[in-house]
C-alpha cells in the first residue's frame, strides 16, 4: 500500500502548536504520558488474551522498553500491547475530538504556560511528544492482524501512514529529539524520570543497554494498590493519580483500602482538584477502572459506581469476579452491585468526615463537584439521607454556602418552610424582585442555580419536617414570621387607596387578557413595581423554561402578575385607573414586559415594547 497523507483537524493543529512551542516547566512528563499509554495497551491485550489465548504477549510476558540512540538522537518507547491498525491510527492520532479538544481550546487562557498545564486534563498525552521531538514515528501492529503500519508527523499540520513491518503486536514510538532536548538520551536522566513518575506501573519498564550494557528494569513493577497504604508515599499516590486519570492536578482526596469478607476487593480512588473536562458529558460514564486479580477488565463499567460519582478516578480490583467476565455478564453480576454499595458508602462517609473536619476545603470541593453530587439526591433513594447533609447551597443570608442543617437551625420564629429560588445564575437570582419581602423580614432564601435542583426538590419535598417552598410561586405567606411589625399609619398612607387598587386590578386584567393568569397585590415586593410568579398549582417558572428549552413544552403558561401597591408608579396608575383610557393599556403591557425582563425572559413583541416605551418617555418629557 502506498503512503497516505492526512491533515490534522484544525483543533489538533492548534493544540500541537501550543504543546510544541510553549515553555513548560516539566518537559519530562512526555515520557510519563507515553509510558502510561504503553501500559494501557498492555492491559487491554491482557484482557483480550483471556478469551483468545493466541493473542498473549509471548515469551517474557508484557513489558515496556526504552531505547536511547545517541548517534541517531532518538528515544524509543516500545510495548507489546494491543497495537493499532490503520483506522486506529487515523482516529487516535489524527483526531482528538473524543478527548475533548474543543472544550480544551475553549478553556485556553492565552497564557501559554498555564494553557499547556491543561493538556493532561484532556487525554492528549501523546501530543506532549512534540515538546521534545521535531519528528515522531509510530510503528505498530494490532494483535490478531498481520499488517504493520508506520505513522509519521512533524507536528506541523500533516501526518502520513503507510504499511510497515513489525514482527509482533504492539507499538513503538520513536522521538527524533530536538537539539535542546538531548538530555533525554542520558540513561541516568531516564532512570530518574521513570522512578519519579512511573514506578507504580505494574509492567516492567526496561532500559535497553542500561547497566553495563545489559537491559535494566527501572520500576518496581508491582501494582501500587496491592501495597499496604502505610508503605505508599503521598508522592507515589500523586503520580499514580496522574497515570490513571491522565491528569496534571493534585488529587484532592485519596481513598485507599481493602474490603474483606463475603466479597474481597481493593480500591484506590481519587477525588480530583480540578474539574475533568467531560464532567457533564451527556453519557455520564464513570471513569474508574475495574481489575480482576490485577488483570484490567474495563474502564467503562457502568455498574461499578453511580453516575453522580463520575468525577472519581482510580481503580477497583476484585478477587471474586470472574476473570473471563464480559460486559454483558458484568451488567447482571450481583457481586458488582455489592461492590458498588460498599464503594458508595465509603466515598460518602469520607466526604462527610472531610466536610466536618475541613469545611473550607470541602467548600472548594463542592464548588467543583456539588452540581454532580446533587444528581444523587434525585437518582439514589437509598443514599439520599447520606447525600443531603453533604449538600451546600448559596443563600441570601451571607456569602458562601451553607448546609440544610444550618439553614433549618437559623430559621425565623414562625417560618414553616425552607424557601428557595431557582435559576441559571446565583448572583442574578440574589437580585430577583421576588426576594425583596424576604430580605426585609430577614428570611434566608436558598439560591439554586443548577439544572438538577428543579428535579431533586420535588423528589425529596422536605428536610427535618420542613417543606421546600419556591418564592416564585403564589401563596407565599410571610405574615407568620416573627419580627414583622404591624404597618404604621405612615406606611398605610404610602399604599394606594384600596378602591383605586381594585379599579387598577380590573383595568390591568382587562388590558392583559390571556397574557397573564391573574393580577394580584403583592406582599413580597418592597422596591420593585411588579414581578411574575407561578400559580400555586403550576410548575415553577425556571422548570418551565428548562422544559421549553428542551422542547418538552410548547410554550410557557401564563403567570400571575403581582403589583407593589406602595410603589410610586403603581400608586399613580391606581389613581388614574378609571380615566387613563388607552394609555393604561400600554402601561399594563410595559409592566408585564418589565417583569419578564427581570426574570431574564425575552419580550414576545419587541417592536410593540419599543413603541410603548418611546411613547411613555415622550409623554414624560412633556
Amino acid at each position: 500500500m502506498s503512503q497516505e497523507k492526512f491533515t490534522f483537524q484544525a483543533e489538533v493543529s492548534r493544540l500541537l502548536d501550543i504543546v510544541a512551542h510553549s515553555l513548560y516547566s516539566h518537559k519530562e512528563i512526555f515520557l510519563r504520558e507515553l509510558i502510561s499509554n504503553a501500559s494501557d495497551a498492555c492491559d487491554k491485550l491482557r484482557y483480550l488474551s483471556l478469551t483468545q489465548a493466541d493473542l498473549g504477549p509471548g515469551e517474557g510476558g508484557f513489558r515496556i522498553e526504552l531505547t536511547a540512540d545517541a548517534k541517531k538522537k532518538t528515544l524509543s518507547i516500545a510495548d507489546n500491547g494491543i497495537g493499532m491498525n490503520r483506522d486506529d491510527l487515523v482516529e487516535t492520532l489524527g483526531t482528538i475530538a473524543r478527548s475533548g479538544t474543543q472544550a480544551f481550546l475553549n478553556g485556553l487562557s492565552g497564557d501559554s504556560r498555564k494553557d499547556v498545564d491543561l493538556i493532561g486534563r484532556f487525554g492528549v498525552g501523546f501530543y506532549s511528544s512534540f515538546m521534545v521531538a521535531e519528528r515522531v514515528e509510530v510503528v505498530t501492529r494490532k494483535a490478531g492482524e498481520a499488517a504493520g503500519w508506520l505513522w509519521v508527523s512533524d507536528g506541523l499540520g500533516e501526518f502520513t501512514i503507510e504499511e510497515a513491518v513489525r514482527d509482533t503486536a504492539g507499538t513503538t514510538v520513536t522521538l527524533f529529539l530536538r537539539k535542546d532536548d538531548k538530555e533525554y538520551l542520558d540513561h541516568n536522566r531516564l532512570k530518574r524520570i521513570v522512578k519519579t513518575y512511573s514506578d507504580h506501573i505494574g509492567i516492567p519498564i526496561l532500559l535497553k543497554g542500561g547497566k553495563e550494557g545489559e537491559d535494566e528494569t527501572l520500576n518496581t513493577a508491582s501494582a501500587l494498590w496491592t501495597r499496604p497504604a502505610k508503605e505508599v508515599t503521598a508522592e507515589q499516590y500523586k503520580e499514580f493519580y496522574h497515570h490513571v486519570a491522565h491528569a496534571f492536578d493534585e488529587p484532592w482526596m485519596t481513598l485507599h483500602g481493602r474490603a474483606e469478607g463475603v466479597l474481597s476487593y481493593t480500591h484506590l480512588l481519587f477525588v480530583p482538584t480540578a474539574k475533568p473536562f467531560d464532567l457533564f458529558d451527556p453519557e455520564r460514564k464513570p471513569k474508574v477502572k475495574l481489575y480482576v486479580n490485577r488483570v484490567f477488565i474495563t474502564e467503562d463499567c457502568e455498574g461499578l459506581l453511580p453516575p453522580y460519582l463520575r468525577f472519581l478516578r482510580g481503580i477497583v480490583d476484585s478477587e471474586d469476579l470472574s476473570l473471563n467476565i464480559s460486559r454483558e455478564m458484568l451488567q447482571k453480576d450481583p457481586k458488582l452491585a455489592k461492590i458498588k454499595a460498599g464503594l458508595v458508602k465509603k466515598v460518602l462517609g469520607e466526604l462527610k468526615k472531610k466536610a466536618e473536619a475541613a469545611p473550607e476545603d470541602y467548600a472548594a470541593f463542592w464548588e467543583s463537584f456539588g452540581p454532580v453530587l446533587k444528581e444523587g439526591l434525585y437518582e439514589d433513594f437509598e443514599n439520599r439521607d447520606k447525600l443531603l447533609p453533604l449538600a451546600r447551597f448559596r443563600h441570601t443570608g451571607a456569602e458562601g454556602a451553607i448546609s440544610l442543617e444550618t439553614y433549618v437551625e437559623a430559621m425565623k420564629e414562625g417560618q414553616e418552610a425552607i424557601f428557595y429560588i431557582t435559576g441559571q445564575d446565583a448572583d442574578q437570582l440574589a437580585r430577583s424582585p421576588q426576594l425583596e419581602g424576604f430580605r426585609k423580614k430577614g428570611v434566608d432564601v436558598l439560591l439554586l442555580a443548577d439544572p438538577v435542583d428543579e428535579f431533586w426538590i420535588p423528589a425529596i419535598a422536605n428536610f427535618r419536617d420542613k417543606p421546600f417552598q419556591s418564592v416564585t410561586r403564589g401563596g407565599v405567606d410571610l405574615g407568620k414570621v416573627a419580627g414583622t411589625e404591624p404597618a404604621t399609619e405612615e406606611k398605610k398612607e404610602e399604599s394606594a387607596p384600596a378602591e383605586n387598587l381594585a379599579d387598577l386590578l380590573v383595568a390591568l386584567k382587562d388590558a392583559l387578557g390571556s397574557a397573564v393568569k391573574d393580577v394580584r397585590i403583592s406582599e413580597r415586593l418592597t422596591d420593585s413595581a411588579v414581578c411574575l410568579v407561578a400559580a400555586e398549582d403550576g410548575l415553577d417558572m425556571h422548570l418551565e423554561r428548562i422544559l421549553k428549552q428542551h422542547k418538552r413544552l410548547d410554550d410557557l403558561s401564563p403567570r400571575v402578575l403581582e403589583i407593589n401597591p406602595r410603589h410610586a408608579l403603581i400608586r399613580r396608575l391606581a389613581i388614574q385607573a378609571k380615566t387613563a383610557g388607552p394609555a393604561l393599556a400600554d402601561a399594563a403591557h410595559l409592566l408585564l414586559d418589565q417583569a419578564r425582563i427581570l426574570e431574564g425572559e425575552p419580550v414576545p413583541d419587541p417592536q410593540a415594547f419599543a413603541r410603548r416605551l418611546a411613547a411613555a418617555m415622550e409623554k414624560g418629557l412633556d
Side-chain angles (χ1 to χ4, degrees):
M1 181 179 178
S2 60
Q3 185 185 81
E4 297 180 271
K5 183 175 288 188
F6 300 84
T7 301
F8 282 115
Q9 280 188 336
E11 294 90 347
V12 179
S13 296
R14 184 178 171 193
L15 179 61
L16 288 173
D17 183 67
I18 293 170
V19 171
H21 300 104
S22 295
L23 294 175
Y24 188 70
S25 56
H26 296 91
K27 274 188 177 183
E28 65 264 25
I29 59 89
F30 82 89
L31 188 56
R32 179 191 76 185
E33 293 301 301
L34 295 179
I35 289 175
S36 290
N37 290 344
S39 172
D40 288 345
C42 291
D43 279 342
K44 290 175 182 177
L45 184 58
R46 177 184 284 144
Y47 174 53
L48 197 62
S49 66
L50 293 176
T51 54
Q52 302 179 54
D54 57 319
L55 298 183
E59 188 176 347
F62 289 105
R63 63 192 181 280
I64 300 169
E65 298 177 348
L66 307 183
T67 304
D69 190 323
K71 291 183 179 179
K72 296 181 179 178
K73 300 180 180 60
T74 60
L75 173 65
S76 298
I77 300 89
D79 66 70
N80 56 346
I82 196 166
M84 292 176 280
N85 58 25
R86 176 195 172 278
D87 293 340
D88 293 332
L89 286 170
V90 173
E91 181 179 8
T92 307
L93 303 187
T95 169
I96 49 178
R98 293 172 63 183
S99 297
T101 313
Q102 193 57 54
F104 171 87
L105 295 171
N106 291 340
L108 296 180
S109 65
D111 183 326
S112 60
R113 182 179 292 271
K114 292 180 180 178
D115 289 341
V116 82
D117 283 344
L118 292 171
I119 292 171
R121 292 174 57 194
F122 291 86
V124 293
F126 170 80
Y127 299 95
S128 62
S129 306
F130 291 99
M131 288 194 292
V132 297
E134 58 187 13
R135 189 168 94 254
V136 177
E137 292 183 358
V138 179
V139 178
T140 184
R141 175 179 158 188
K142 191 163 188 174
E145 298 186 8
W149 299 91
L150 170 65
W151 181 98
V152 181
S153 179
D154 58 8
L156 298 179
E158 295 181 340
F159 62 94
T160 61
I161 296 177
E162 60 185 294
E163 283 197 33
V165 176
R166 197 179 197 279
D167 294 335
T168 60
T171 300
T172 301
V173 180
T174 300
L175 312 182
F176 291 79
L177 298 174
R178 302 177 189 277
K179 290 182 180 180
D180 296 336
D181 295 304
K182 294 178 183 177
E183 63 184 280
Y184 300 109
L185 296 173
D186 181 75
H187 282 196
N188 289 326
R189 181 80 166 102
L190 294 174
K191 291 178 189 178
R192 287 195 298 271
I193 294 172
V194 171
K195 197 66 179 175
T196 300
Y197 294 109
S198 305
D199 189 56
H200 59 271
I201 298 290
I203 296 169
I205 303 171
L206 306 178
L207 178 60
K208 303 294 288 183
K211 188 180 296 185
E212 298 180 359
E214 296 189 4
D215 295 350
E216 182 179 354
T217 302
L218 304 183
N219 64 323
T220 305
S222 65
L224 187 75
W225 62 88
T226 63
R227 307 177 200 171
K230 62 183 179 181
E231 296 180 8
V232 183
T233 67
E235 188 66 21
Q236 287 173 321
Y237 277 134
K238 183 179 77 171
E239 291 310 325
F240 183 76
Y241 164 70
H242 289 164
H243 161 71
V244 75
H246 292 285
F248 282 44
D249 62 317
E250 302 280 329
W252 180 77
M253 179 188 285
T254 301
L255 295 85
H256 186 190
R258 177 173 174 79
E260 295 182 332
V262 178
L263 271 175
S264 297
Y265 61 90
T266 301
H267 65 267
L268 178 48
L269 303 174
F270 302 93
V271 177
T273 297
K275 292 181 186 178
F277 77 93
D278 55 356
L279 188 62
F280 294 101
D281 187 289
E283 294 186 359
R284 303 193 308 146
K285 291 182 178 179
K287 299 294 182 180
V288 171
K289 296 183 177 182
L290 176 65
Y291 286 73
V292 175
N293 287 320
R294 285 174 285 177
V295 176
F296 172 72
I297 301 298
T298 179
E299 58 186 354
D300 180 18
C301 184
E302 296 180 7
L304 188 60
L305 284 168
Y308 66 85
L309 292 180
R310 62 184 176 276
F311 53 83
L312 290 172
R313 298 294 186 264
I315 66 94
V316 174
D317 190 351
S318 172
E319 299 173 5
D320 296 305
L321 294 174
S322 172
L323 261 178
N324 63 354
I325 200 162
S326 68
R327 189 172 301 275
E328 291 73 21
M329 291 171 63
L330 273 175
Q331 293 171 348
K332 301 175 183 177
D333 197 324
K335 295 177 183 177
L336 197 65
K338 292 181 180 179
I339 294 175
K340 174 182 176 180
L343 292 174
V344 171
K345 180 180 179 181
K346 179 67 175 178
V347 172
L348 297 185
E350 291 301 316
L351 288 176
K352 180 182 179 182
K353 292 179 184 177
K354 190 78 168 181
E356 294 171 349
E360 291 185 2
D361 285 350
Y362 184 77
F365 158 80
W366 186 262
E367 185 69 23
S368 295
F369 303 110
V372 176
L373 202 62
K374 277 194 288 188
E375 293 174 12
L377 296 174
Y378 176 69
E379 298 173 340
D380 191 351
F381 176 80
E382 291 183 6
N383 290 294
R384 191 172 289 167
D385 290 341
K386 295 185 180 72
L387 285 163
L388 268 175
L390 296 176
R392 297 293 183 268
F393 306 94
R394 292 274 300 273
H395 60 121
T396 58
E399 292 293 325
I402 60 172
S403 66
L404 288 175
E405 194 72 52
T406 302
Y407 180 95
V408 171
E409 289 174 358
M411 284 174 61
K412 291 282 187 180
E413 183 181 347
Q415 182 181 343
E416 298 177 347
I418 300 170
F419 292 110
Y420 69 91
I421 184 171
T422 56
Q424 293 183 326
D425 180 82
D427 293 329
Q428 183 178 344
L429 288 175
R431 299 189 292 270
S432 176
Q434 285 100 334
L435 300 179
E436 293 172 358
F438 293 86
R439 277 207 175 87
K440 184 179 179 182
K441 298 187 178 184
V443 175
D444 203 359
V445 178
L446 302 180
L447 307 172
L448 307 183
D450 298 316
V452 71
D453 290 325
E454 290 286 4
F455 301 96
W456 69 261
I457 286 182
I460 291 178
N462 64 77
F463 177 79
R464 300 286 186 264
D465 297 324
K466 302 292 184 182
F468 289 93
Q469 186 168 358
S470 172
V471 303
T472 64
R473 284 192 179 184
V476 173
D477 182 10
L478 294 177
K480 298 179 181 179
V481 177
T484 303
E485 298 180 1
T488 63
E489 291 299 319
E490 181 182 356
K491 289 178 180 176
K492 286 182 180 179
E493 292 175 1
E494 290 178 358
S495 179
E499 61 272 18
N500 295 128
L501 283 173
D503 292 337
L504 179 60
L505 289 176
V506 171
L508 292 177
K509 290 176 185 178
D510 287 343
L512 297 175
S514 61
V516 294
K517 186 176 182 65
D518 197 5
V519 183
R520 300 174 185 168
I521 302 299
S522 179
E523 294 297 330
R524 74 187 81 212
L525 293 175
T526 61
D527 300 318
S528 301
V530 292
C531 71
L532 287 173
V533 298
E536 290 88 336
D537 57 351
L539 292 175
D540 186 86
M541 294 195 298
H542 182 55
L543 176 57
E544 274 201 340
R545 287 194 289 268
I546 291 176
L547 294 175
K548 186 176 185 296
Q549 181 181 356
H550 289 84
K551 303 188 185 304
R552 303 293 295 273
L553 279 179
D554 293 332
D555 207 352
L556 301 177
S557 59
R559 313 283 173 67
V560 175
L561 179 68
E562 290 194 353
I563 61 173
N564 180 2
R566 291 165 294 279
H567 194 279
L569 175 60
I570 300 301
R571 292 203 312 269
R572 187 167 180 180
L573 286 173
I575 294 171
Q576 300 177 3
K578 285 188 175 182
T579 60
L584 184 61
D586 280 349
H589 285 284
L590 281 174
L591 287 173
L592 178 57
D593 285 341
Q594 177 185 335
R596 286 169 172 153
I597 292 170
L598 288 171
E599 284 299 312
E601 295 181 3
V603 174
D605 190 344
Q607 289 77 19
F609 171 73
R611 176 183 57 77
R612 292 177 181 128
L613 182 60
M617 292 175 66
E618 182 181 358
K619 185 176 180 180
L621 294 173
D622 288 343

